[in-house]
């Protein structure tokens, strides 16, 4: 199954590269470009539409898989062709029929189909809103209300809950707030070439490793598709970018990660919740840097009497550039900081002592302390 999961990365990568190339050529022809403005750091118009590549490279394989499973009979054996194809993929060719790798999960996929359909529908609705916003600039509060409605829909339809011990209504509220916060965190991060997609790729890799280690195959398959689509887009978005994702991509990336982190238990099968409850904090640790940026930027805007949802250049990445870093170095710095917290979060589900979990929490705070120090470093005088 691990080989199958990682093969999905290649599938979505190829789709993403193809669609990004197509949108890079099409967007300027239809006027779908991001023009320089008062808070934009690029000086020339850039094609938008990278979000189209990311979202559809994620959605299409899932949709095709769901149709195949639900409209075909359950396989007992792989056909000879299927076995040979799998053999080419793994480097170990076989002859004759063998038990299907997917067969044990066939009924599970069918059971998860309603949730998957609701998830895809909400992703596409958010994607459509993002496309409209990229083209005509919706107001920030209209976008927020739409995000809350979409998130509430997927939470109710999919039965998504966090901290269920608090009761049904508080659990629903917290789940909606968590997914909406992650959605906006990655939207906020989309302020510099390669930043939002790169941090999302780092976080997705961490979540994918965790999902595989605890054998949550459906979540792992979704994460692998997201990872491939992000890497494919980053081939064109790494500084200096030749295409942007826009809100149609950044908000959906955050939404996908928010939903999938709720769907992941983060506890190994043999673990007891009473002794390993801290593993459920893994998403917060992985996403510590994006959440930090979301909170700090929002507080700065509110302290200045501005809406937290109106864009500016107060993000951590902007402050690093203002203090002398190149844009590429600032982006790589944020990637590495995210990776530093993500690695700690990956091993958190395997920790069996409260003291070990405490040390991981301290390490995360130290990383954020470095971020805070870099932010406060004096801006060099203008020459």
């Amino acid at each position: 199954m691990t080989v199958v999961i990682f093969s999905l990365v290649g599938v979505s990568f190829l789709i993403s590269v193809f669609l990004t190339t197509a949108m890079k050529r099409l967007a300027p022809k239809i006027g779908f470009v991001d023009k320089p403005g008062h808070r934009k750091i690029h000086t020339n118009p850039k094609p938008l539409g990278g979000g189209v590549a990311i979202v559809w490279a994620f959605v299409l394989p899932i949709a095709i898989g769901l149709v195949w499973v639900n409209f075909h009979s359950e396989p007992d054996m792989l056909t000879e062709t299927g076995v040979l194809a799998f053999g080419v993929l793994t480097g170990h060719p076989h002859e004759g029929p063998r038990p299907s790798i997917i067969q044990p999960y066939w009924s599970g996929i069918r059971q998860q189909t309603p949730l998957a359909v609701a998830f895809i529908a909400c992703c596409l609705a958010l994607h459509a809103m993002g496309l409209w916003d990229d083209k005509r600039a919706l107001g920030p509060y209209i976008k927020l209300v739409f995000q809350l409605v979409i998130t509430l829909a997927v939470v109710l339809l999919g039965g998504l809950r966090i901290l269920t011990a608090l009761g049904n209504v508080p659990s629903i509220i917290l789940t909606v707030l968590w997914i909406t916060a992650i959605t906006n965190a990655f939207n906020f991060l989309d302020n510099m070439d390669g930043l939002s997609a790169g941090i999302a790729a780092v976080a997705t890799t961490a979540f994918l490793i965790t999902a595989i280690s605890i054998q949550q195959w459906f979540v792992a398959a979704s994460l692998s598709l997201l990872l491939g689509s992000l890497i494919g887009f980053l081939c064109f978005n790494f500084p200096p970018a030749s295409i942007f994702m826009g809100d149609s991509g950044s908000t959906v990336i955050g939404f996908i990660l928010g939903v999938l982190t709720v769907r992941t238990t983060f506890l190994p099968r043999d673990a007891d919740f009473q002794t390993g409850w801290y593993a459920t904090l893994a998403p917060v640790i992985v996403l510590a840097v994006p959440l930090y940026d979301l909170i700090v930027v929002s507080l700065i805007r509110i302290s200045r009497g501005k809406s937290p949802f109106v864009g500016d250049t107060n993000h951590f990445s902007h402050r690093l550039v203002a203090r002398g870093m190149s844009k590429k170095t600032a982006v790589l710095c944020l990637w590495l900081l995210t990776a530093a917290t993500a690695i700690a979060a990956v091993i958190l589900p395997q920790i069996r002592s409260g003291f070990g979990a405490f040390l991981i929490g301290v390490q995360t705070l130290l990383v954020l302390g470095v971020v805070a120090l870099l932010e406060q470093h004096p801006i060099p005088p203008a020459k």
Side-chain angles (χ1 to χ4, degrees):
M1 278 302 296
T2 302
V3 174
V4 174
I5 293 298
F6 280 108
S7 70
L8 293 176
V9 177
V11 171
S12 60
F13 170 81
L14 293 175
I15 297 173
S16 180
V17 168
F18 173 78
L19 291 177
T20 305
T21 302
M23 289 304 301
K24 183 179 172 182
R25 295 175 180 175
L26 176 63
K29 295 179 181 178
I30 61 176
F32 195 44
V33 296
D34 191 10
K35 298 178 181 179
H38 69 283
R39 65 179 181 85
K40 304 293 181 67
I41 62 174
H42 58 284
T43 55
N44 298 312
K46 290 288 178 72
L48 285 166
V52 174
I54 295 171
V55 172
W56 285 100
F58 175 78
V59 167
L60 277 177
I62 296 178
I64 292 171
L66 291 176
V67 170
W68 180 265
V69 169
N70 284 277
F71 290 92
H72 287 77
S73 59
E74 184 175 323
D76 294 323
M77 293 286 191
L78 282 174
T79 63
E80 185 174 353
T81 303
V83 172
L84 290 175
F86 184 71
V88 171
L89 180 65
T90 60
H92 300 285
H94 303 285
E95 295 180 358
R98 282 178 160 246
S100 171
I101 295 173
I102 301 176
Q103 191 271 338
Y105 306 99
W106 202 266
S107 60
I109 295 173
R110 287 181 172 178
Q111 290 174 2
Q112 296 295 330
T113 295
L115 170 59
V117 171
F119 181 36
I120 289 175
C122 289
C123 285
L124 292 179
L126 202 58
H127 177 55
M129 182 208 72
L131 287 171
W132 184 269
D133 182 57
D134 290 335
K135 186 68 176 176
R136 302 195 180 273
L138 295 171
Y141 294 106
I142 294 176
K143 291 193 293 184
L144 179 61
V145 170
F146 194 87
Q147 290 171 7
L148 289 170
V149 171
I150 291 295
T151 303
L152 181 61
V154 78
V155 167
L156 295 179
L157 293 173
L160 302 176
R161 302 288 189 277
I162 57 175
L163 298 177
T164 53
L166 297 177
N168 189 48
V169 174
S171 177
I172 290 173
I173 294 172
L174 286 174
T175 305
V176 170
L177 291 178
W178 167 258
I179 296 174
T180 305
I182 303 305
T183 299
N184 283 285
F186 281 93
N187 184 224
F188 276 32
L189 282 173
D190 191 25
N191 58 71
M192 200 165 286
D193 296 353
L195 184 57
S196 185
I199 288 181
V202 172
T204 301
T205 301
F207 291 133
L208 176 58
I209 294 171
T210 302
I212 291 174
S213 69
I214 59 179
Q215 298 183 9
Q216 288 199 252
W217 301 119
F218 300 138
V219 173
S222 300
L223 288 166
S224 64
L225 291 172
L226 178 61
L227 179 59
S229 67
L230 290 168
I231 296 173
F233 171 69
L234 277 169
C235 293
F236 303 85
N237 189 243
F238 186 78
S242 59
I243 186 172
F244 294 159
M245 72 169 80
D247 281 12
S248 63
S250 60
T251 53
V252 181
I253 289 171
F255 179 77
I256 292 171
L257 285 175
V259 171
L260 293 180
T261 53
V262 174
R263 285 290 297 170
T264 309
T265 63
F266 295 99
L267 280 172
R269 293 172 182 246
D270 59 343
D272 177 59
F273 181 79
Q274 297 299 324
T275 57
W277 62 268
Y278 37 77
T280 59
L281 297 176
V284 179
I285 295 175
V286 172
L287 300 172
V289 173
L291 288 171
Y292 172 90
D293 189 63
L294 172 70
I295 293 170
V296 170
V297 170
S298 297
L299 290 175
I300 290 174
R301 291 171 182 172
I302 292 172
S303 67
R304 295 177 179 177
K306 299 179 180 179
S307 167
F309 299 104
V310 175
D312 55 28
T313 55
N314 287 307
H315 293 278
F316 180 44
S317 54
H318 294 140
R319 290 195 288 275
L320 289 180
V321 172
R323 284 158 176 78
M325 279 192 185
S326 68
K327 294 174 185 177
K328 183 180 293 186
T329 302
V331 168
L332 290 174
C333 179
L334 280 161
W335 285 16
L336 293 175
L337 288 168
T338 303
T341 62
I343 290 173
V346 167
I347 65 174
L348 187 59
Q350 313 303 326
I351 298 295
R352 292 293 183 268
S353 71
F355 181 68
F358 171 75
L359 290 179
I360 289 177
V362 171
Q363 178 183 334
T364 303
L365 292 176
L366 291 175
V367 170
L368 294 181
V370 172
V371 173
L373 287 175
L374 288 172
E375 284 187 320
Q376 299 304 317
H377 190 277
I379 297 177
K383 295 181 180 180

